[in-house]
Amino acid sequence: MGMMKHLMVRSRRRSLWMMHFCLGGCNGCSIEIMAALTPMYDLERFGILNTGNPKHTDVLLVGGSVNHRNRRTLKNLIDQIPAPRLIVAVGTCALTGGIFNEAYNIIGGANRVVDVDVYVPGCPPKPEAVIDGILSGLDKFEQ
Amino acid sequence: MNLAKLWVPAAAVIAAPVFGGLIAGIDRKISARLQGRYGPPILQPFYDLYKLFGKDPLAVNRWQPFFAAMYLFGAAASVAWLALGGDLLVLFFLTTFTVGFLVLGASCVPSPFSRAGAGRELLQALVYEPVLILVFAAIFQQTGRWDAAGVWRQGGVLLAQTPLLYLCLFLVLVIKLRKSPFDFSASPHAHQELVRGVLTEYSGPFLAMVELGHWYETALLLMICALFWSSVPGSAILVAATVAGLIFVDNLFPRLTWRWMMARIWLPLPGLALLNLIWLMV
Amino acid sequence: MVSTMPYLVLTSILLPPFAALISAGLSGRRPRASVSIFTGAVLIALAPFLAFAGSFSFSTEGRPIPWNLLIHWADFLLLAVVLIVAVRLKSILGSVFIAIQLLVLLGLEIFWGEALASDPVLASSAVARVTALVVNIVGGLILIYSPGYIHRHFADPDTGKERFFFFFLLLFPGAMNGLVFSNHLLWLLFFWEVTTVCSFALIAVDRTEEAVASALKALWMTMLGGVALVSGIVLVHHYGGFLRLDQITAAPASGPVLLGVGLLCFAGLTKAAQVPFQGWLIDAMVAPAPVSALLHSSTMVKAGVYLILILSPAFAGTFLASGLALIGAMSFLAMGVVAVSQRHGKRILAYSTVLNLGMIIVCAALGTAAATAAAILLIVFHAVSKALLFLTVGTAAQATGSSELDGLRGLFRTMPLTSVLMALGLLTLLLPPFGLMIGKWLALQSAAGRPLVIALLAVGTAFHLMLYARWAGDLLWGRAAEKAGQAEKLPPGARLSMMALAALAVGLVPLVPTFLVHPSFFGFPGGGVDASVFAGAYPGILIFGALLCAAAGFAAVVLRRLPPAVFRTPYCCGAEAKVDGQAGFKGPMNVFEPARFSDYHLAGSFGNQKIVFWLNAAAVIVMVVVAAGISATG
Ligand code: SF4
C-alpha cells in the first residue's frame, strides 16, 4: 500500500497537465505563460503538457482579474477539473485585481472566487517565475 | 482450442500495454530530440496513466464510462485473440467492436467537440477498415490460412510479395495512432481545434481506461505488422523500422484536414491494397 | 405412422387468412386486438414444430378437394381484382404488368391445362424450414405488438382503415408460410402474388397521396418481378419439363432452362429490392411501423432472397451466379454509401435492409456450404434485429413525433427502455459476437479468392459502422430522468415483443453451430455445413461473448454506484449551462443555447441522386449482360 501511494505521489508530481485561463487584464501574463510553453523552456521535461481542457487538467494557471461576467466561466472551468488539482494565480491582476482593481466591473483577484494554491507575483512575471510557481506547488500532492 | 495455451493471451494482455506505453514514451522522447528539446523520461506515459487513475472520477453520464470500459475490453480482447493465433477475419470484426465503442463513448454526450471527434473517427474508420480486410485477404491469398497462428508458423517474408499492402498498412497505422498528417479525431498535441476530439469529455480514471485501450490498439497493429516477416528477429526489425517511420512521418508532415483525407486517401488506399491483392492472384 | 406435419403446415397457411376474415367481420378494437394477439401466439407456438419436425410433403393426388384448381383460379381472381384497382388508380406500368401475367397464366392453362398437376405441391426443404421459423416467430411477435401501435396510429377506429389494416396484416403470415413451403411453381406464384398484394395494400393503408404513390411504385416493381416469375415458369416448363422446385434444383441448369432460372432469380431481386429496384422499399417506409417491421424488413423481402437461395444448386458456378454476386455486392456497397447522407431513421433502416439482403444474395451466389450457412444466419439474425429496430423506432416516433435521427437524440432521458433496446438492436447488426457478424465472417471467408466482392463488402461494412455507431451514441445522450412518475409507459404487448426480439437477437448466438446451421437439423444442400467451418474461431467468439457479458455486467455494477456528484456538464469553453436537464451554453446576451451538432452527412461527396442514377444504370447493364451471356452460351 505504501509503495502504491508513493508511486501515486511520484506520478502526480511528474505528470502535470496544465491549462491556462486569462480572465481579463492586459494579456501580458498570458503571453509570458505561452512563452514558458515554448520549446526553449521544454516544460515536457517535467511532464508538463498544455491541454486546453479542464477535464484533463491538473494545474490551472489563472491570469488577469476577475469580473462579474468571467466569474461564472472560471467557476465552470474549475468545476470540471477533477481533484486533486493545483490552481496557480499568475501576475498582479490575478493576485489582487492589479491596476484594474478600482474599475466598476472588477471583483478582484482570483482568490475572491476560488482557492488559489500558489501566487506568482509580477506584472508580468517572467516565464521562469511561472515555471517555478507551478513546481513549488507540487508539495500539495504529497498529502 | 488448447486450454494449456491460455497463458499466451494472458501474457499478451499484460505485456501489450507495457509495450504500447513504451512505444509512446520512446516516441515522445525522440520527437523532443528532433525538435531540439530534452524531452520527458521514457516512462512518462506510465506516470501520466497512473496519475489519471488516481484522480477523482468525473463523467457526463453513466454510459460514457461504460463505453470506455467496453472499448478497453475490446482492445484487450483483440490483442488476446491475435496472441492466441485466432482467425484474422474475426480479428477484423473485433477491431470494429473497439472503434465502435470508442465512437459510442464519444457520441453519447451532448458535447460538440467530442461529437465532432466521433464523426471524424468514423471517417477514419471508413478509410482504414477496408484496407485492414484487404490486408487479411492478401495474407490468406499468400499463405492459405486465416488463422494468425498458421500464418506465423508458415514463416517467410510476406513483405516481399506485398510491398504496396504494407504501405497501406503503414498509413493505417499513421491514422490509428493519431499521427500527423492524420491526427484530427483526437489530436494528442495542443492543436486544440477540437480540444481533444473523442477524448474531450473523458477525465481521470475513465480517460486512463481509454488511454490504456489505445496502447492495446498500438500493440495490436504492430503485432499485425509483425506477421509480415514471421521470424523473431525479422519481425523485431520490421516493427522497429515501422515505429521509426511513424515518428519520422509524424514530425515531418504538417497536419491535414479530414476533407483532404477523404478526397485523396479514401479511394486510392483500398485501391492500392486491391491492386496488390490482384497481383498476388495472377 | 401418419405424420402430423401436413396438418401443422396447413394450419400455418390457413389460420392467418381465417383470422383475417374473422377480424374483418368484428367491430370494435378489443376483439380485433385479441384476434391479432391470439394468431401471433399460435404462430409462435407452431414455429418450432414447423422447423424441427422433420421433412414433409403434401400431394393433391386423390384428395377430395381439387386444390390445384382452387389455387389456379384464386390466382386469376387475385390478379383480376388487383388489375381493376391498378386501372382505377391509373397506374399504367402496374396494370400492364398485371395484364401480361394474366395473359401468360391463361396461355399456360390453355396450352398445358391438365398437365400442370405435379406432386408434391408442398414440401419442406432445409432453407424453407429455417425461413418458416423466422417468419412465424418474428411475425407472431409483430402481430402481438401491432394493436398497441395501431390504436394510437388511427385515432378513429370506425373509418375502416383499421379493419383494412388488420385484414392484410393477418393475411400476410399465411401467404408467407405458403410461399416457403410451396414446391409447385404455380403454388409458389400464387402465394408470391398474395404477399405482393398485402404489401401494396399495407403501404397504402394511410390513404395519403404519398402512401398511395409509394404503394403503386411497389406494385409495379414487384409485379414486374411477377412477370419474370411467370415467364421463368413457362421457360423451365417448356424446355426442362419442370414444374416443381425440387426438379429444378436436382441438377445444374443450362441453356434456356438456366435463363428461366435467371428470370426466377430476377423476380427474387425485385422482391428483395436489390438495385435497380431499391426504390420501392425505401418509399414503402411511409407505412406504419408494424408493416415496415413485418413485411419490409424481416419477412416479405426475405422471400426474394429465399427464392434465390433455394435455386442456388441450379445455377452454382454459372455466369448467372457471378452476375447475382455482383448485383448483391453492388447493393451492399451502394446502399451503405447512400444511407450515410440520410437523416430519417426508418429510411436508413430500409437502406440497411437492402444492403443486408445484398449480402445474402452474394452468399447464395457463392454457393459453398459455408456461404449457405452465412446466408441462413444473415436471414435469421437480420430478421430479428431489424424487426426490433423498426418496432423501437416506431414506438419512439409515436411518442416523440419524429423518426429523424436528430429527433431521437437523447431519447434515453424520456424513454430509457426503448432507447436501450434500439441501441442494442443497432449493435447486434454491427458488432461481434452477435449473429450478423458471424454471418458476415462466414461470407467474407467464402468470398476469399474474389477480391472485388471482398473489397465491396469491406467498404460496405465500414459504411455500416459509420451509420450505426453514431446513431446508437446519439440515443444515449443525457441521463435518465430520475424522478419516479416519469417512467416510460408502453403497451404491454409492445414491451413484451420488443424485449422478446432483443432476447432472441442476443440469446440465439450461442446456438448457432449446434442448432441453426447444423446439417442434422436441416440437411442443407451441398452436404450441409459441418462443424469444421466453425471449429477454428467459433468457440473463441463464444468465449469473447461470455467475457463481454461478464465485463459489461461488472462495469454496469461498478458504474451504478457512481454518486450523482460525479456528473458534470460537457465542456463548452467555460460557458456551459444546463436548462431543464438539457446541456448547452450561455451564448451572447446571456441567452441559453442548447448543444447542437450535425453530422458529416457527406451529401457533397455521396449526393444521393447522382449515385443512384449511375448505380441503377450499372445494375441494368449487369442484368442485360448476364441475360445475353446465358442466351449466348445456351
Ligand atoms: S498582471 Fe500585469 S501583465 Fe499580467 S495581466 Fe495584469 S496588467 Fe497585464
Side-chain angles (χ1 to χ4, degrees), chain C residues 120-189:
Chain C
V121 288
L122 296 179
S124 67
S125 65
V127 183
R129 272 173 290 163
V130 188
T131 316
L133 187 69
V134 178
V135 167
N136 290 296
I137 290 187
V138 176
L141 286 172
I142 294 170
L143 287 182
I144 292 174
Y145 171 90
S146 299
Y149 180 93
I150 227 63
H151 290 176
R152 294 175 73 178
H153 187 77
F154 296 120
D156 179 7
D158 296 323
T159 52
K161 282 185 192 171
E162 197 177 303
R163 190 171 297 197
F164 183 85
F165 172 84
F166 273 112
F167 177 77
F168 283 103
L169 195 75
L170 285 167
L171 182 63
F172 171 76
M176 199 60 205
N177 280 326
L179 197 156
V180 297
F181 286 117
S182 289
N183 190 31
H184 194 295
L185 288 171
L186 288 176
W187 286 53
L188 180 87
L189 176 71

Side-chain angles (χ1 to χ4, degrees), chain C residues 536-556:
Chain C
Y538 191 77
I541 296 178
L542 273 194
I543 292 176
F544 173 76
L547 286 176
L548 172 66
C549 289
F554 178 72

Side-chain angles (χ1 to χ4, degrees), chain A residues 24-29 63-64 90-94 99-100 122-125:
Chain A
C26 82
N27 235 12
C29 287
V90 178
T92 313
C93 286
I99 55 165
F100 303 104
C123 180

